[in-house]
PDB file of all heavy atoms in Angstrom:
ATOM      1  N   TRP A  30      99.597  69.312 122.020  1.00  0.00           N
ATOM      2  CA  TRP A  30      98.475  69.676 122.918  1.00  0.00           C
ATOM      3  C   TRP A  30      98.891  69.718 124.359  1.00  0.00           C
ATOM      4  O   TRP A  30      98.622  70.741 125.029  1.00  0.00           O
ATOM      5  CB  TRP A  30      97.290  68.713 122.732  1.00  0.00           C
ATOM      6  CG  TRP A  30      96.468  68.985 121.485  1.00  0.00           C
ATOM      7  CD1 TRP A  30      96.435  68.282 120.355  1.00  0.00           C
ATOM      8  CD2 TRP A  30      95.554  70.104 121.316  1.00  0.00           C
ATOM      9  NE1 TRP A  30      95.591  68.856 119.451  1.00  0.00           N
ATOM     10  CE2 TRP A  30      94.997  69.924 120.010  1.00  0.00           C
ATOM     11  CE3 TRP A  30      95.138  71.149 122.098  1.00  0.00           C
ATOM     12  CZ2 TRP A  30      94.094  70.837 119.502  1.00  0.00           C
ATOM     13  CZ3 TRP A  30      94.207  72.007 121.601  1.00  0.00           C
ATOM     14  CH2 TRP A  30      93.692  71.852 120.276  1.00  0.00           C
ATOM     15  N   LEU A  31      99.535  68.683 124.825  1.00  0.00           N
ATOM     16  CA  LEU A  31      99.863  68.602 126.264  1.00  0.00           C
ATOM     17  C   LEU A  31     100.947  69.527 126.692  1.00  0.00           C
ATOM     18  O   LEU A  31     100.863  70.111 127.793  1.00  0.00           O
ATOM     19  CB  LEU A  31     100.262  67.163 126.610  1.00  0.00           C
ATOM     20  CG  LEU A  31      99.154  66.119 126.571  1.00  0.00           C
ATOM     21  CD1 LEU A  31      99.760  64.721 126.752  1.00  0.00           C
ATOM     22  CD2 LEU A  31      98.113  66.416 127.610  1.00  0.00           C
ATOM     23  N   HIS A  32     101.968  69.690 125.918  1.00  0.00           N
ATOM     24  CA  HIS A  32     103.155  70.482 126.338  1.00  0.00           C
ATOM     25  C   HIS A  32     103.225  71.899 125.737  1.00  0.00           C
ATOM     26  O   HIS A  32     104.102  72.677 126.172  1.00  0.00           O
ATOM     27  CB  HIS A  32     104.437  69.717 126.039  1.00  0.00           C
ATOM     28  CG  HIS A  32     104.476  68.408 126.755  1.00  0.00           C
ATOM     29  ND1 HIS A  32     104.723  68.318 128.116  1.00  0.00           N
ATOM     30  CD2 HIS A  32     104.322  67.120 126.334  1.00  0.00           C
ATOM     31  CE1 HIS A  32     104.689  67.036 128.498  1.00  0.00           C
ATOM     32  NE2 HIS A  32     104.454  66.321 127.418  1.00  0.00           N
ATOM     33  N   HIS A  33     102.392  72.165 124.768  1.00  0.00           N
ATOM     34  CA  HIS A  33     102.437  73.508 124.130  1.00  0.00           C
ATOM     35  C   HIS A  33     101.087  74.189 124.236  1.00  0.00           C
ATOM     36  O   HIS A  33     100.967  75.233 124.838  1.00  0.00           O
ATOM     37  CB  HIS A  33     102.915  73.376 122.698  1.00  0.00           C
ATOM     38  CG  HIS A  33     104.292  72.809 122.569  1.00  0.00           C
ATOM     39  ND1 HIS A  33     105.444  73.569 122.700  1.00  0.00           N
ATOM     40  CD2 HIS A  33     104.713  71.540 122.423  1.00  0.00           C
ATOM     41  CE1 HIS A  33     106.467  72.790 122.618  1.00  0.00           C
ATOM     42  NE2 HIS A  33     106.059  71.545 122.401  1.00  0.00           N
ATOM     43  N   ALA A  34     100.081  73.658 123.562  1.00  0.00           N
ATOM     44  CA  ALA A  34      98.786  74.337 123.483  1.00  0.00           C
ATOM     45  C   ALA A  34      98.119  74.523 124.862  1.00  0.00           C
ATOM     46  O   ALA A  34      97.701  75.619 125.170  1.00  0.00           O
ATOM     47  CB  ALA A  34      97.839  73.573 122.532  1.00  0.00           C
ATOM     48  N   ASP A  35      97.982  73.431 125.616  1.00  0.00           N
ATOM     49  CA  ASP A  35      97.329  73.559 126.897  1.00  0.00           C
ATOM     50  C   ASP A  35      97.928  74.580 127.833  1.00  0.00           C
ATOM     51  O   ASP A  35      97.202  75.456 128.320  1.00  0.00           O
ATOM     52  CB  ASP A  35      97.236  72.176 127.626  1.00  0.00           C
ATOM     53  CG  ASP A  35      96.281  71.220 126.909  1.00  0.00           C
ATOM     54  OD1 ASP A  35      95.475  71.660 126.057  1.00  0.00           O
ATOM     55  OD2 ASP A  35      96.347  70.023 127.229  1.00  0.00           O
ATOM     56  N   PRO A  36      99.240  74.587 128.062  1.00  0.00           N
ATOM     57  CA  PRO A  36      99.787  75.629 128.949  1.00  0.00           C
ATOM     58  C   PRO A  36      99.655  77.059 128.361  1.00  0.00           C
ATOM     59  O   PRO A  36      99.311  77.970 129.115  1.00  0.00           O
ATOM     60  CB  PRO A  36     101.274  75.274 129.077  1.00  0.00           C
ATOM     61  CG  PRO A  36     101.403  73.861 128.616  1.00  0.00           C
ATOM     62  CD  PRO A  36     100.275  73.585 127.692  1.00  0.00           C
ATOM     63  N   HIS A  37      99.869  77.238 127.068  1.00  0.00           N
ATOM     64  CA  HIS A  37      99.762  78.582 126.507  1.00  0.00           C
ATOM     65  C   HIS A  37      98.300  79.070 126.549  1.00  0.00           C
ATOM     66  O   HIS A  37      98.046  80.219 126.861  1.00  0.00           O
ATOM     67  CB  HIS A  37     100.306  78.613 125.084  1.00  0.00           C
ATOM     68  CG  HIS A  37     101.772  78.657 124.994  1.00  0.00           C
ATOM     69  ND1 HIS A  37     102.528  79.727 125.476  1.00  0.00           N
ATOM     70  CD2 HIS A  37     102.690  77.815 124.517  1.00  0.00           C
ATOM     71  CE1 HIS A  37     103.791  79.504 125.268  1.00  0.00           C
ATOM     72  NE2 HIS A  37     103.946  78.300 124.685  1.00  0.00           N
ATOM     73  N   LEU A  38      97.400  78.177 126.226  1.00  0.00           N
ATOM     74  CA  LEU A  38      95.973  78.603 126.222  1.00  0.00           C
ATOM     75  C   LEU A  38      95.502  78.952 127.607  1.00  0.00           C
ATOM     76  O   LEU A  38      94.704  79.839 127.789  1.00  0.00           O
ATOM     77  CB  LEU A  38      95.091  77.522 125.567  1.00  0.00           C
ATOM     78  CG  LEU A  38      95.252  77.376 124.048  1.00  0.00           C
ATOM     79  CD1 LEU A  38      94.505  76.174 123.524  1.00  0.00           C
ATOM     80  CD2 LEU A  38      94.843  78.660 123.337  1.00  0.00           C
ATOM     81  N   ARG A  39      95.961  78.226 128.630  1.00  0.00           N
ATOM     82  CA  ARG A  39      95.618  78.547 130.007  1.00  0.00           C
ATOM     83  C   ARG A  39      96.041  80.012 130.320  1.00  0.00           C
ATOM     84  O   ARG A  39      95.322  80.750 130.953  1.00  0.00           O
ATOM     85  CB  ARG A  39      96.231  77.562 130.977  1.00  0.00           C
ATOM     86  CG  ARG A  39      95.358  76.341 131.282  1.00  0.00           C
ATOM     87  CD  ARG A  39      95.844  75.554 132.473  1.00  0.00           C
ATOM     88  NE  ARG A  39      97.164  74.971 132.270  1.00  0.00           N
ATOM     89  CZ  ARG A  39      97.382  73.813 131.678  1.00  0.00           C
ATOM     90  NH1 ARG A  39      96.367  73.129 131.177  1.00  0.00           N
ATOM     91  NH2 ARG A  39      98.609  73.370 131.537  1.00  0.00           N
ATOM     92  N   VAL A  40      97.219  80.345 129.906  1.00  0.00           N
ATOM     93  CA  VAL A  40      97.714  81.696 130.204  1.00  0.00           C
ATOM     94  C   VAL A  40      96.985  82.715 129.328  1.00  0.00           C
ATOM     95  O   VAL A  40      96.519  83.772 129.829  1.00  0.00           O
ATOM     96  CB  VAL A  40      99.261  81.806 129.972  1.00  0.00           C
ATOM     97  CG1 VAL A  40      99.708  83.237 130.037  1.00  0.00           C
ATOM     98  CG2 VAL A  40      99.986  80.942 130.972  1.00  0.00           C
ATOM     99  N   LEU A  41      96.876  82.458 128.054  1.00  0.00           N
ATOM    100  CA  LEU A  41      96.223  83.386 127.155  1.00  0.00           C
ATOM    101  C   LEU A  41      94.788  83.692 127.546  1.00  0.00           C
ATOM    102  O   LEU A  41      94.343  84.840 127.502  1.00  0.00           O
ATOM    103  CB  LEU A  41      96.256  82.836 125.744  1.00  0.00           C
ATOM    104  CG  LEU A  41      97.604  82.912 124.994  1.00  0.00           C
ATOM    105  CD1 LEU A  41      97.557  82.099 123.722  1.00  0.00           C
ATOM    106  CD2 LEU A  41      97.968  84.343 124.709  1.00  0.00           C
ATOM    107  N   MET A  42      94.054  82.670 127.971  1.00  0.00           N
ATOM    108  CA  MET A  42      92.644  82.826 128.208  1.00  0.00           C
ATOM    109  C   MET A  42      92.286  83.100 129.691  1.00  0.00           C
ATOM    110  O   MET A  42      91.155  83.254 130.023  1.00  0.00           O
ATOM    111  CB  MET A  42      91.904  81.582 127.698  1.00  0.00           C
ATOM    112  CG  MET A  42      92.076  81.399 126.203  1.00  0.00           C
ATOM    113  SD  MET A  42      91.291  79.941 125.552  1.00  0.00           S
ATOM    114  CE  MET A  42      89.700  80.718 125.092  1.00  0.00           C
ATOM    115  N   ASP A  43      93.319  83.272 130.525  1.00  0.00           N
ATOM    116  CA  ASP A  43      93.076  83.584 131.908  1.00  0.00           C
ATOM    117  C   ASP A  43      92.407  84.957 132.025  1.00  0.00           C
ATOM    118  O   ASP A  43      93.023  85.981 131.637  1.00  0.00           O
ATOM    119  CB  ASP A  43      94.355  83.524 132.707  1.00  0.00           C
ATOM    120  CG  ASP A  43      94.155  83.685 134.197  1.00  0.00           C
ATOM    121  OD1 ASP A  43      93.665  84.765 134.626  1.00  0.00           O
ATOM    122  OD2 ASP A  43      94.475  82.770 134.932  1.00  0.00           O
ATOM    123  N   PRO A  44      91.183  85.052 132.574  1.00  0.00           N
ATOM    124  CA  PRO A  44      90.499  86.349 132.570  1.00  0.00           C
ATOM    125  C   PRO A  44      91.038  87.338 133.586  1.00  0.00           C
ATOM    126  O   PRO A  44      90.693  88.529 133.486  1.00  0.00           O
ATOM    127  CB  PRO A  44      89.045  85.946 132.933  1.00  0.00           C
ATOM    128  CG  PRO A  44      89.188  84.704 133.711  1.00  0.00           C
ATOM    129  CD  PRO A  44      90.400  83.983 133.148  1.00  0.00           C
ATOM    130  N   ASP A  45      91.878  86.915 134.518  1.00  0.00           N
ATOM    131  CA  ASP A  45      92.414  87.838 135.502  1.00  0.00           C
ATOM    132  C   ASP A  45      93.848  88.205 135.231  1.00  0.00           C
ATOM    133  O   ASP A  45      94.261  89.372 135.406  1.00  0.00           O
ATOM    134  CB  ASP A  45      92.319  87.244 136.945  1.00  0.00           C
ATOM    135  CG  ASP A  45      90.897  87.073 137.367  1.00  0.00           C
ATOM    136  OD1 ASP A  45      90.078  87.981 137.096  1.00  0.00           O
ATOM    137  OD2 ASP A  45      90.576  86.046 138.000  1.00  0.00           O
ATOM    138  N   LEU A  46      94.679  87.249 134.793  1.00  0.00           N
ATOM    139  CA  LEU A  46      96.093  87.444 134.682  1.00  0.00           C
ATOM    140  C   LEU A  46      96.628  87.382 133.210  1.00  0.00           C
ATOM    141  O   LEU A  46      97.765  87.707 132.975  1.00  0.00           O
ATOM    142  CB  LEU A  46      96.843  86.419 135.533  1.00  0.00           C
ATOM    143  CG  LEU A  46      96.530  86.483 137.018  1.00  0.00           C
ATOM    144  CD1 LEU A  46      97.206  85.322 137.766  1.00  0.00           C
ATOM    145  CD2 LEU A  46      96.900  87.757 137.628  1.00  0.00           C
ATOM    146  N   GLY A  47      95.800  86.928 132.321  1.00  0.00           N
ATOM    147  CA  GLY A  47      96.252  86.725 130.920  1.00  0.00           C
ATOM    148  C   GLY A  47      96.327  88.085 130.183  1.00  0.00           C
ATOM    149  O   GLY A  47      95.872  89.107 130.626  1.00  0.00           O
ATOM    150  N   PRO A  48      96.959  88.042 129.007  1.00  0.00           N
ATOM    151  CA  PRO A  48      97.101  89.261 128.231  1.00  0.00           C
ATOM    152  C   PRO A  48      95.795  89.838 127.730  1.00  0.00           C
ATOM    153  O   PRO A  48      95.739  91.018 127.320  1.00  0.00           O
ATOM    154  CB  PRO A  48      97.962  88.824 127.030  1.00  0.00           C
ATOM    155  CG  PRO A  48      97.782  87.381 126.968  1.00  0.00           C
ATOM    156  CD  PRO A  48      97.542  86.894 128.326  1.00  0.00           C
ATOM    157  N   PHE A  49      94.699  89.100 127.760  1.00  0.00           N
ATOM    158  CA  PHE A  49      93.406  89.613 127.327  1.00  0.00           C
ATOM    159  C   PHE A  49      92.511  90.029 128.514  1.00  0.00           C
ATOM    160  O   PHE A  49      91.314  90.241 128.307  1.00  0.00           O
ATOM    161  CB  PHE A  49      92.653  88.578 126.494  1.00  0.00           C
ATOM    162  CG  PHE A  49      93.449  87.996 125.329  1.00  0.00           C
ATOM    163  CD1 PHE A  49      93.372  86.626 125.100  1.00  0.00           C
ATOM    164  CD2 PHE A  49      94.221  88.797 124.519  1.00  0.00           C
ATOM    165  CE1 PHE A  49      94.095  86.104 124.003  1.00  0.00           C
ATOM    166  CE2 PHE A  49      94.939  88.274 123.456  1.00  0.00           C
ATOM    167  CZ  PHE A  49      94.862  86.916 123.216  1.00  0.00           C
ATOM    168  N   ALA A  50      93.053  90.140 129.715  1.00  0.00           N
ATOM    169  CA  ALA A  50      92.275  90.439 130.917  1.00  0.00           C
ATOM    170  C   ALA A  50      91.480  91.694 130.813  1.00  0.00           C
ATOM    171  O   ALA A  50      90.384  91.820 131.364  1.00  0.00           O
ATOM    172  CB  ALA A  50      93.185  90.485 132.131  1.00  0.00           C
ATOM    173  N   ALA A  51      91.926  92.678 130.040  1.00  0.00           N
ATOM    174  CA  ALA A  51      91.174  93.941 129.913  1.00  0.00           C
ATOM    175  C   ALA A  51      90.254  93.960 128.665  1.00  0.00           C
ATOM    176  O   ALA A  51      89.644  94.951 128.421  1.00  0.00           O
ATOM    177  CB  ALA A  51      92.164  95.109 129.851  1.00  0.00           C
ATOM    178  N   CYS A  52      90.178  92.883 127.941  1.00  0.00           N
ATOM    179  CA  CYS A  52      89.395  92.809 126.736  1.00  0.00           C
ATOM    180  C   CYS A  52      88.102  92.102 126.970  1.00  0.00           C
ATOM    181  O   CYS A  52      87.977  91.304 127.905  1.00  0.00           O
ATOM    182  CB  CYS A  52      90.155  92.108 125.594  1.00  0.00           C
ATOM    183  SG  CYS A  52      91.593  93.040 125.074  1.00  0.00           S
ATOM    184  N   SER A  53      87.177  92.326 126.128  1.00  0.00           N
ATOM    185  CA  SER A  53      85.880  91.685 126.179  1.00  0.00           C
ATOM    186  C   SER A  53      85.741  90.707 125.008  1.00  0.00           C
ATOM    187  O   SER A  53      86.055  91.079 123.858  1.00  0.00           O
ATOM    188  CB  SER A  53      84.759  92.740 126.087  1.00  0.00           C
ATOM    189  OG  SER A  53      83.532  92.143 125.757  1.00  0.00           O
ATOM    190  N   PRO A  54      85.266  89.479 125.290  1.00  0.00           N
ATOM    191  CA  PRO A  54      85.090  88.552 124.193  1.00  0.00           C
ATOM    192  C   PRO A  54      84.123  89.076 123.138  1.00  0.00           C
ATOM    193  O   PRO A  54      84.271  88.771 121.972  1.00  0.00           O
ATOM    194  CB  PRO A  54      84.506  87.309 124.836  1.00  0.00           C
ATOM    195  CG  PRO A  54      84.889  87.432 126.273  1.00  0.00           C
ATOM    196  CD  PRO A  54      84.957  88.878 126.569  1.00  0.00           C
ATOM    197  N   LYS A  55      83.151  89.940 123.508  1.00  0.00           N
ATOM    198  CA  LYS A  55      82.203  90.448 122.559  1.00  0.00           C
ATOM    199  C   LYS A  55      82.660  91.793 121.954  1.00  0.00           C
ATOM    200  O   LYS A  55      82.485  92.013 120.759  1.00  0.00           O
ATOM    201  CB  LYS A  55      80.834  90.654 123.195  1.00  0.00           C
ATOM    202  CG  LYS A  55      80.151  89.315 123.554  1.00  0.00           C
ATOM    203  CD  LYS A  55      78.775  89.553 124.084  1.00  0.00           C
ATOM    204  CE  LYS A  55      78.141  88.203 124.411  1.00  0.00           C
ATOM    205  NZ  LYS A  55      76.860  88.311 124.973  1.00  0.00           N
ATOM    206  N   ASP A  56      83.252  92.626 122.801  1.00  0.00           N
ATOM    207  CA  ASP A  56      83.619  93.961 122.346  1.00  0.00           C
ATOM    208  C   ASP A  56      85.060  94.049 121.854  1.00  0.00           C
ATOM    209  O   ASP A  56      85.467  95.039 121.260  1.00  0.00           O
ATOM    210  CB  ASP A  56      83.414  94.986 123.434  1.00  0.00           C
ATOM    211  CG  ASP A  56      81.952  95.044 123.892  1.00  0.00           C
ATOM    212  OD1 ASP A  56      81.080  94.824 123.028  1.00  0.00           O
ATOM    213  OD2 ASP A  56      81.704  95.247 125.090  1.00  0.00           O
ATOM    214  N   GLY A  57      85.850  93.032 122.112  1.00  0.00           N
ATOM    215  CA  GLY A  57      87.192  92.954 121.623  1.00  0.00           C
ATOM    216  C   GLY A  57      88.186  93.802 122.382  1.00  0.00           C
ATOM    217  O   GLY A  57      88.011  94.039 123.588  1.00  0.00           O
ATOM    218  N   HIS A  58      89.171  94.291 121.665  1.00  0.00           N
ATOM    219  CA  HIS A  58      90.276  94.991 122.230  1.00  0.00           C
ATOM    220  C   HIS A  58      89.872  96.340 122.829  1.00  0.00           C
ATOM    221  O   HIS A  58      89.166  97.124 122.193  1.00  0.00           O
ATOM    222  CB  HIS A  58      91.340  95.199 121.127  1.00  0.00           C
ATOM    223  CG  HIS A  58      92.644  95.715 121.619  1.00  0.00           C
ATOM    224  ND1 HIS A  58      93.511  94.968 122.317  1.00  0.00           N
ATOM    225  CD2 HIS A  58      93.188  96.944 121.504  1.00  0.00           C
ATOM    226  CE1 HIS A  58      94.593  95.705 122.611  1.00  0.00           C
ATOM    227  NE2 HIS A  58      94.405  96.886 122.154  1.00  0.00           N
ATOM    228  N   THR A  59      90.347  96.590 124.011  1.00  0.00           N
ATOM    229  CA  THR A  59      90.135  97.900 124.620  1.00  0.00           C
ATOM    230  C   THR A  59      91.511  98.543 124.792  1.00  0.00           C
ATOM    231  O   THR A  59      92.518  97.919 124.526  1.00  0.00           O
ATOM    232  CB  THR A  59      89.452  97.738 126.036  1.00  0.00           C
ATOM    233  OG1 THR A  59      90.318  96.923 126.831  1.00  0.00           O
ATOM    234  CG2 THR A  59      88.109  97.076 125.905  1.00  0.00           C
ATOM    235  N   ALA A  60      91.488  99.786 125.210  1.00  0.00           N
ATOM    236  CA  ALA A  60      92.780 100.469 125.445  1.00  0.00           C
ATOM    237  C   ALA A  60      93.582  99.605 126.423  1.00  0.00           C
ATOM    238  O   ALA A  60      93.070  99.195 127.483  1.00  0.00           O
ATOM    239  CB  ALA A  60      92.552 101.859 125.990  1.00  0.00           C
ATOM    240  N   TYR A  61      94.798  99.321 126.082  1.00  0.00           N
ATOM    241  CA  TYR A  61      95.626  98.439 126.909  1.00  0.00           C
ATOM    242  C   TYR A  61      96.013  99.158 128.234  1.00  0.00           C
ATOM    243  O   TYR A  61      96.794 100.093 128.191  1.00  0.00           O
ATOM    244  CB  TYR A  61      96.856  98.021 126.155  1.00  0.00           C
ATOM    245  CG  TYR A  61      97.399  96.694 126.596  1.00  0.00           C
ATOM    246  CD1 TYR A  61      96.631  95.550 126.520  1.00  0.00           C
ATOM    247  CD2 TYR A  61      98.682  96.558 127.117  1.00  0.00           C
ATOM    248  CE1 TYR A  61      97.135  94.328 126.923  1.00  0.00           C
ATOM    249  CE2 TYR A  61      99.165  95.356 127.536  1.00  0.00           C
ATOM    250  CZ  TYR A  61      98.375  94.247 127.449  1.00  0.00           C
ATOM    251  OH  TYR A  61      98.894  93.036 127.844  1.00  0.00           O
ATOM    252  N   PRO A  62      95.400  98.797 129.367  1.00  0.00           N
ATOM    253  CA  PRO A  62      95.579  99.571 130.612  1.00  0.00           C
ATOM    254  C   PRO A  62      96.815  99.245 131.380  1.00  0.00           C
ATOM    255  O   PRO A  62      97.094  99.885 132.381  1.00  0.00           O
ATOM    256  CB  PRO A  62      94.331  99.184 131.406  1.00  0.00           C
ATOM    257  CG  PRO A  62      94.080  97.753 131.003  1.00  0.00           C
ATOM    258  CD  PRO A  62      94.478  97.676 129.534  1.00  0.00           C
ATOM    259  N   PHE A  63      97.573  98.252 130.965  1.00  0.00           N
ATOM    260  CA  PHE A  63      98.707  97.774 131.768  1.00  0.00           C
ATOM    261  C   PHE A  63     100.025  98.300 131.210  1.00  0.00           C
ATOM    262  O   PHE A  63     100.217  98.301 129.991  1.00  0.00           O
ATOM    263  CB  PHE A  63      98.740  96.266 131.870  1.00  0.00           C
ATOM    264  CG  PHE A  63      97.434  95.651 132.241  1.00  0.00           C
ATOM    265  CD1 PHE A  63      96.733  94.868 131.383  1.00  0.00           C
ATOM    266  CD2 PHE A  63      96.914  95.878 133.530  1.00  0.00           C
ATOM    267  CE1 PHE A  63      95.505  94.315 131.776  1.00  0.00           C
ATOM    268  CE2 PHE A  63      95.718  95.332 133.931  1.00  0.00           C
ATOM    269  CZ  PHE A  63      94.999  94.528 133.024  1.00  0.00           C
ATOM    270  N   ASP A  64     100.867  98.719 132.110  1.00  0.00           N
ATOM    271  CA  ASP A  64     102.219  99.158 131.666  1.00  0.00           C
ATOM    272  C   ASP A  64     103.101  97.932 131.540  1.00  0.00           C
ATOM    273  O   ASP A  64     102.863  96.899 132.108  1.00  0.00           O
ATOM    274  CB  ASP A  64     102.785 100.089 132.750  1.00  0.00           C
ATOM    275  CG  ASP A  64     102.080 101.418 132.838  1.00  0.00           C
ATOM    276  OD1 ASP A  64     101.586 101.861 131.789  1.00  0.00           O
ATOM    277  OD2 ASP A  64     101.994 101.979 133.943  1.00  0.00           O
ATOM    278  N   PRO A  65     104.184  98.083 130.738  1.00  0.00           N
ATOM    279  CA  PRO A  65     105.177  97.004 130.681  1.00  0.00           C
ATOM    280  C   PRO A  65     105.768  96.734 132.065  1.00  0.00           C
ATOM    281  O   PRO A  65     105.693  97.575 132.942  1.00  0.00           O
ATOM    282  CB  PRO A  65     106.251  97.560 129.731  1.00  0.00           C
ATOM    283  CG  PRO A  65     105.597  98.642 129.009  1.00  0.00           C
ATOM    284  CD  PRO A  65     104.545  99.214 129.884  1.00  0.00           C
ATOM    285  N   LEU A  66     106.355  95.594 132.228  1.00  0.00           N
ATOM    286  CA  LEU A  66     107.025  95.271 133.507  1.00  0.00           C
ATOM    287  C   LEU A  66     108.101  96.311 133.761  1.00  0.00           C
ATOM    288  O   LEU A  66     108.861  96.675 132.852  1.00  0.00           O
ATOM    289  CB  LEU A  66     107.620  93.883 133.476  1.00  0.00           C
ATOM    290  CG  LEU A  66     106.598  92.722 133.299  1.00  0.00           C
ATOM    291  CD1 LEU A  66     107.368  91.393 133.137  1.00  0.00           C
ATOM    292  CD2 LEU A  66     105.686  92.641 134.473  1.00  0.00           C
ATOM    293  N   PRO A  67     108.240  96.747 135.013  1.00  0.00           N
ATOM    294  CA  PRO A  67     109.266  97.741 135.282  1.00  0.00           C
ATOM    295  C   PRO A  67     110.651  97.108 135.165  1.00  0.00           C
ATOM    296  O   PRO A  67     110.847  95.948 135.570  1.00  0.00           O
ATOM    297  CB  PRO A  67     108.989  98.166 136.711  1.00  0.00           C
ATOM    298  CG  PRO A  67     108.169  97.102 137.291  1.00  0.00           C
ATOM    299  CD  PRO A  67     107.432  96.440 136.169  1.00  0.00           C
TER     300      PRO A  67
END
């Protein structure tokens, strides 16, 4: 929990910077608007 789940969940669930930032909790996956890192 302390060294794995908590840090990963903070990143995953971050509404501005996380990988789900463009998704809606109710509507789910949207077209992925972000390009890969250059």
Side-chain angles (χ1 to χ4, degrees):
W30 280 105
L31 290 173
H32 298 287
H33 299 275
D35 290 345
H37 282 296
L38 289 172
R39 271 192 295 276
V40 171
L41 286 168
M42 300 180 92
D43 186 297
D45 294 319
L46 301 173
F49 307 139
C52 294
S53 163
K55 290 184 181 179
D56 300 327
H58 189 73
T59 59
Y61 207 61
F63 309 115
D64 292 328
L66 297 175

